[in-house]
Amino acid sequence: MTTITDRLAIAQSRIAQAAQNSSRRVEDVQLLAVSKTKPNSQIIEAYHAGQRRFGENYVQEGESKINALSQEFPDIEWHFIGPLQSNKTKVVATLFDWMHTVEREKIAQRLNDQRPESMPPLNICIQVNISQEASKSGVEASDVIALADKIAQLPNLTLRGLMAIPSADVDEQTATQELAALQSLYQQLAERFDSIDTLSVGMSNDLELAVAHGSTMVRIGSAIFGERDYTKV
């Protein structure tokens, strides 16, 4: 039976091979371990295996985990990667290091206003609906630059890049087209803002293709922690 340590090593090996295949440096692609619905004990196990970046999708669950673990493990980097309602922005603004799913100026403004002055600026990724699916969150590609311009003016936020969830269960050609469009948009953003360095895209099923199209951060959950139990959320 494989352990979390084993599965982390397998994920890192896949990332390293994908980077090599794309003539990229392995250190330029980070692994974000998606720990939503998983107990603190599994986060601690991953931590002791060397993992430092963890992603949470739910505000209350993330708040509970950070409060429980931050004192003993202060070097954990907490990323919020789920949808965020405006009435819950304060938790993300005061506890998390990264926010990946900004799609509205209102959310960005609230995060900025609620970020404590004693903390470093909150790292921000704009979520792009690159597949143009009605069921998905994210700003349209044509609106990214305008939103980025607004975020860049907020002093308690640092615009770091883009995040996307490409279409699932599509042929490789469609997936490649979506990722190529996302990579092009990311490059436009990087030319406009000096702070841009993060393209958060790619999961267990498509990380190789994502890395080939410039991903700098892949989000892997079940391949590390096992299947999720949503009854405990």
Side-chain angles (χ1 to χ4, degrees), residues 17-33:
Q17 186 62 56
Q20 182 179 337
N21 292 346
S22 301
S23 301
R24 297 181 61 196
R25 301 188 310 165
V26 64
E27 56 266 32
D28 291 340
V29 186
Q30 300 171 350
L31 170 59
L32 180 61

Side-chain angles (χ1 to χ4, degrees), residues 44-199:
I44 293 169
E45 185 178 345
Y47 179 92
H48 287 310
Q51 182 64 27
R52 293 295 181 270
R53 299 178 180 90
F54 293 89
E56 291 289 330
N57 285 61
Y58 307 111
V59 172
Q60 245 181 319
E61 182 187 359
E63 179 180 24
S64 174
K65 287 176 176 177
I66 294 171
N67 287 334
L69 298 173
S70 61
Q71 189 166 355
E72 187 175 358
F73 307 103
D75 58 336
I76 288 180
E77 189 176 271
W78 295 99
H79 294 240
F80 191 79
I81 60 173
L84 183 63
Q85 297 172 330
S86 58
N87 64 345
K88 295 183 178 179
T89 52
K90 189 172 183 179
V91 174
V92 175
T94 56
L95 292 179
F96 282 81
D97 302 294
W98 283 72
M99 165 58 169
H100 285 234
T101 54
V102 172
E103 60 173 347
R104 289 185 290 148
E105 183 183 350
K106 178 183 178 181
I107 294 292
Q109 186 69 58
R110 287 178 66 87
L111 290 169
N112 176 77
D113 295 346
Q114 294 169 335
R115 184 70 168 178
E117 294 288 343
S118 59
M119 297 180 73
L122 180 64
N123 296 296
I124 298 294
C125 288
I126 295 172
Q127 183 172 0
V128 187
N129 186 352
I130 201 66
S131 59
Q132 298 182 315
E133 295 174 81
S135 61
K136 276 188 182 167
S137 300
V139 66
E140 295 294 324
S142 58
D143 296 327
V144 165
I145 297 297
L147 180 56
D149 284 340
K150 298 288 188 183
I151 293 170
Q153 297 173 31
L154 298 174
N156 297 322
L157 307 181
T158 298
L159 181 63
R160 298 292 295 270
L162 300 177
M163 177 270 210
I165 305 171
S167 301
D169 303 320
V170 295
D171 60 84
E172 187 171 335
Q173 181 180 356
T174 301
T176 297
Q177 288 172 347
E178 291 180 6
L179 287 167
L182 182 67
Q183 185 178 21
S184 175
L185 188 58
Y186 172 75
Q187 290 167 345
Q188 291 176 48
L189 212 60
E191 291 171 3
R192 192 176 182 92
F193 302 100
D194 292 338
S195 60
I196 299 300
D197 60 5
T198 302
L199 183 56

Side-chain angles (χ1 to χ4, degrees), residues 215-226:
S215 173
T216 68
M217 188 177 293
V218 296
R219 309 182 302 270
I220 300 180
S222 55
I224 295 171
F225 296 109

Side-chain angles (χ1 to χ4, degrees), residues 200-218:
S200 171
V201 64
M203 294 181 279
S204 301
N205 62 332
D206 65 349
L207 78 82
E208 285 82 6
L209 196 60
V211 169
H213 287 84
S215 173
T216 68
M217 188 177 293
V218 296

